[in-house]
Amino acid sequence: MLVLNRKKGETIVIGDNIEITIIDVLGDNIKVGINAPKEVGIVRKEIKEEIAATNKQATQSTPNLQTNLQALNQMAKEKGAKQGIK
């Protein structure tokens, strides 16, 4: 992990097209601004972890979900092949 010290108004650049700017510092809280292309997903870590846990719970509560998804994908491929779609 790279650790950098930054002051209010200073920016960190990641790659060629992502910038992280320190907007404000209030005690233990830091407000950051992130400028990145739309195709770059940005989400707080705790939200990402919550989504992953919810997705895991959803798949565990549905028996044979993977088998059912594979069967649906196969049916879609077969239907596409019959219609001449690749």
Side-chain angles (χ1 to χ4, degrees):
M1 172 187 298
L2 174 64
V3 178
L4 300 171
N5 291 320
R6 298 281 75 200
K7 295 178 183 176
K8 183 177 174 180
E10 294 181 332
T11 299
I12 298 167
V13 178
I14 300 173
D16 292 330
N17 54 3
I18 299 174
E19 293 183 357
I20 301 173
T21 302
I22 306 305
I23 304 298
D24 204 1
V25 180
L26 298 169
D28 288 343
N29 293 316
I30 299 170
K31 188 182 289 187
V32 297
I34 303 170
N35 186 11
K38 290 182 180 181
E39 61 270 8
V40 175
I42 301 171
V43 65
R44 294 189 335 243
K45 183 177 180 179
E46 62 271 19
I47 299 297
K48 184 175 182 176
E49 290 170 348
E50 185 177 328
I51 291 168
T54 300
N55 289 343
K56 183 176 180 181
Q57 182 182 12
T59 59
Q60 290 175 346
S61 65
T62 306
N64 302 318
L65 180 64
Q66 185 66 31
T67 302
N68 293 342
L69 287 174
Q70 289 172 347
L72 284 171
N73 284 331
Q74 183 61 36
M75 288 171 45
K77 287 179 185 177
E78 289 171 3
K79 184 175 180 180
K82 287 180 184 177
Q83 295 177 354
I85 300 171
K86 292 182 180 181

